[in-house]
Amino acid sequence: MYYLCYKSELALKTSEEELIKILQVAQANNLKNQVTGMLLYIDNHFIQLIEGEKETIKNLFKKIAIDKRHYGVKILSEGDVPKRFFPNWIMGFRALSPQDLKDMAEMNGLKELSIESLLDEATPHISIEFLKSFYKNGELDFYKFWRNK
């Protein structure tokens, strides 16, 4: 099994409807290609971990990297793993506001957790563990962020 975790920033203002359409298309494609993973949207940034067969993931990332809807696409971490991090999520999604992130950090005693730490290329393990925490805790709500905007 192969995984790749990357970060990027939205190029244009994206509406709730547009983001939901992107998610629906990605989920359909992931199901067809046996890709699983998690996408986090926070403060106009994406952090995503995708996993599957190595060639599939590499080809998918090539498409992601040239997508004009975002820029600054950088790989945070990639490699082989013995099993999937997100075996049941064709693409889990969570949107957080900066305040949501701050509140989550305080509740879990993580004073150093910030948007900057999640996007830091020097510490990709922080992003990966944060994404995995949503799966571990069963926290997946596509529309929570938008309802509370």
Side-chain angles (χ1 to χ4, degrees):
M1 194 56 43
Y2 194 79
Y3 83 95
L4 186 146
C5 183
Y6 73 91
K7 68 176 182 174
S8 67
E9 188 166 350
L10 277 176
L12 304 170
K13 183 77 172 153
T14 303
S15 71
E16 171 185 349
E17 292 80 21
E18 291 169 319
L19 188 54
I20 291 169
K21 285 178 188 175
I22 291 168
L23 290 168
Q24 290 170 336
V25 169
Q27 287 177 329
N29 289 333
N30 286 359
L31 181 61
K32 181 174 69 176
N33 294 306
Q34 299 180 331
V35 171
T36 53
M38 172 72 185
L39 175 66
L40 177 67
Y41 175 76
I42 182 169
D43 199 27
N44 218 43
H45 292 87
F46 286 120
I47 300 171
Q48 183 173 30
L49 189 148
I50 50 178
E51 56 194 2
E53 294 301 318
K54 185 174 185 175
E55 185 177 328
T56 302
I57 296 303
K58 292 283 195 173
N59 289 335
L60 175 57
F61 183 71
K62 285 178 188 175
K63 292 176 185 175
I64 290 169
I66 62 171
D67 188 324
K68 300 287 187 220
R69 293 175 290 190
H70 62 167
Y71 65 94
V73 180
K74 300 255 179 163
I75 294 174
L76 296 172
S77 182
E78 64 181 313
D80 293 308
V81 288
K83 62 180 185 172
R84 294 177 187 267
F85 296 122
F86 306 100
N88 301 318
W89 286 0
I90 55 174
M91 187 166 79
F93 174 78
R94 187 69 188 259
L96 298 174
S97 70
Q99 185 61 49
D100 289 335
L101 181 62
K102 182 179 177 189
D103 293 345
M104 288 177 70
E106 288 175 3
M107 285 189 317
N108 293 294
L110 303 170
K111 293 180 176 69
E112 71 279 354
L113 186 61
S114 65
I115 296 169
E116 293 76 22
S117 66
L118 290 174
L119 297 172
D120 189 347
E121 294 169 49
T123 55
H125 63 282
I126 293 173
S127 296
I128 293 169
E129 291 305 316
F130 190 68
L131 291 171
K132 286 168 44 180
S133 75
F134 290 103
Y135 189 81
K136 179 181 172 188
N137 296 317
E139 295 178 25
L140 186 63
D141 183 350
F142 284 92
Y143 307 106
K144 176 180 185 271
F145 176 77
W146 303 111
R147 283 195 310 260
N148 294 328
K149 260 180 128 177

